[in-house]
Amino acid sequence: MEESYDVRRYRQACQLLPARLRGPALELDVSEQARAEELRLRLGRSLGVTLPEGERTLPGTRVLAGDLEQVLDRATELSRYAAAEDLAQGFVTAPGGFRVGACGRALPAGGENRGFSDLSALAVRIPRLRRDVAAPVLDRLMEGSRPLSVLVLSPPGGGKTTFLRDLVRLLSEGGSRVGLVDERGELAALYRGAPQLDVGRRTDVLDGCPKALAIPMLLRAMNPQVIAVDELAAAGDLAAVEAAAGCGVTLLATVHAPSVAELRRRPLFASLLEKRIFRRAVVITGGGAGRRYLVEDLP
């Protein structure tokens, strides 16, 4: 039987593990491999696999300090110096778009972290491209041939990033120039300048830059017709979005919220909604195969 895409992505992530941990990880039931979201390595603990229903630990896989070092060496292809700036922010992106988050003894200086002297834990996130999840509602997000500005809402882990990535891809392939702000490397997963996840042929990615800085940079440098950002939260982000809207750019953004009504109860976002920068909201409910995408007008 041909290996499914979801299982293949899990097994690719397992290639970052030392051999002594990789074997048990690959013995996981195939149905669980297909649903796995993360590999979790904690010093002195058993290797964990994050599933939608919770974390499962694998017996006989006690993680050693050398295991953590090996995973980072593989993620950076033995070039930690080149990845030092990303690692100081708490993560690196490995070939294939696997985001490896790090935790341990930080090295703060001047209000910023400079890296880690001792690693205590790593989280290998397993991103999977979901094509055409945005396609069924795309017509509702357009006005003629022009995309409307859209907010994508759900609680954490509800599928916002997956939906936004696919919406960016569809608009880009449809002819729009898209500027994508990928502050945490989760949308396009740039590796050495190349997106590891398909975000469309007309999409320009600005990776690792805070949204408040990235949005005006894209406006000045790339002349986008659409700007997409993940997880609006800070006042500075919203101010940059408002400024971009004043330049006639379509905006796509995600926000942690279960509903538009909840968003209106937050003073920061209530003000944004009153300015009518965004014309539609996509509210994501449910999970897995039961996930639904509800489009609401924002009057």
Side-chain angles (χ1 to χ4, degrees), residues 67-91:
D67 298 326
L68 299 174
E69 297 293 337
Q70 282 191 52
V71 171
L72 270 192
D73 283 342
R74 288 177 176 170
T76 61
E77 295 187 317
L78 297 175
S79 183
R80 290 207 206 168
Y81 177 79
E85 288 190 14
D86 284 344
L87 189 55
Q89 300 301 313
F91 68 92

Side-chain angles (χ1 to χ4, degrees), residues 6-78:
D6 288 344
V7 170
R8 188 164 64 250
R9 288 293 284 171
Y10 173 83
R11 296 188 175 184
Q12 288 170 350
C14 288
Q15 295 307 305
L16 294 170
L17 299 174
R20 57 178 291 272
L21 300 179
R22 188 186 316 135
L26 291 175
E27 291 173 3
L28 192 69
D29 185 87
V30 171
S31 66
E32 293 183 316
Q33 291 185 26
R35 294 184 295 114
E37 299 170 349
E38 294 175 324
L39 300 169
R40 288 271 179 172
L41 297 90
R42 300 180 179 92
L43 185 62
R45 306 282 185 177
S46 295
L47 175 67
V49 179
T50 305
L51 301 167
E53 61 269 24
E55 188 172 322
R56 175 174 173 183
T57 56
L58 305 183
T61 57
R62 184 172 179 268
V63 175
L64 307 176
D67 298 326
L68 299 174
E69 297 293 337
Q70 282 191 52
V71 171
L72 270 192
D73 283 342
R74 288 177 176 170
T76 61
E77 295 187 317
L78 297 175

Side-chain angles (χ1 to χ4, degrees), residues 79-122:
S79 183
R80 290 207 206 168
Y81 177 79
E85 288 190 14
D86 284 344
L87 189 55
Q89 300 301 313
F91 68 92
V92 294
T93 301
F98 301 99
R99 185 170 181 256
V100 181
C103 203
R105 186 175 181 82
L107 299 171
E112 297 181 352
N113 182 41
R114 301 299 185 187
F116 297 92
S117 62
D118 295 296
L119 292 170
S120 64
L122 296 174

Side-chain angles (χ1 to χ4, degrees), residues 74-242:
R74 288 177 176 170
T76 61
E77 295 187 317
L78 297 175
S79 183
R80 290 207 206 168
Y81 177 79
E85 288 190 14
D86 284 344
L87 189 55
Q89 300 301 313
F91 68 92
V92 294
T93 301
F98 301 99
R99 185 170 181 256
V100 181
C103 203
R105 186 175 181 82
L107 299 171
E112 297 181 352
N113 182 41
R114 301 299 185 187
F116 297 92
S117 62
D118 295 296
L119 292 170
S120 64
L122 296 174
V124 181
R125 189 166 298 179
I126 308 172
R128 294 181 174 93
L129 188 66
R130 296 285 184 243
R131 291 185 182 274
D132 295 326
V133 295
V137 299
L138 183 61
D139 286 349
R140 293 282 315 276
L141 309 180
M142 305 288 290
E143 192 171 70
S145 60
R146 179 181 171 82
L148 297 169
S149 290
V150 175
L151 283 174
V152 183
L153 311 181
S154 84
K160 296 182 297 300
T161 299
T162 299
F163 182 91
L164 179 62
R165 183 190 300 119
D166 192 55
L167 181 57
V168 165
R169 182 187 66 83
L170 290 171
L171 294 178
S172 178
E173 292 298 321
S176 295
R177 291 189 308 275
V178 183
L180 178 60
V181 179
D182 198 3
E183 184 174 354
R184 300 181 304 166
E186 293 186 303
L187 286 160
L190 281 192
Y191 182 76
R192 296 185 177 177
Q196 303 295 292
L197 300 171
D198 186 5
V199 289
R201 75 186 84 174
R202 298 177 184 86
T203 299
D204 303 304
V205 183
L206 189 52
D207 178 270
C209 185
K211 291 179 277 292
L213 295 178
I215 291 172
M217 285 174 64
L218 283 171
L219 285 169
R220 290 192 299 267
M222 303 309 295
N223 187 30
Q225 296 165 308
V226 178
I227 290 180
V229 302
D230 204 12
E231 295 190 11
L232 285 181
D237 300 344
L238 273 61
V241 161
E242 186 175 346

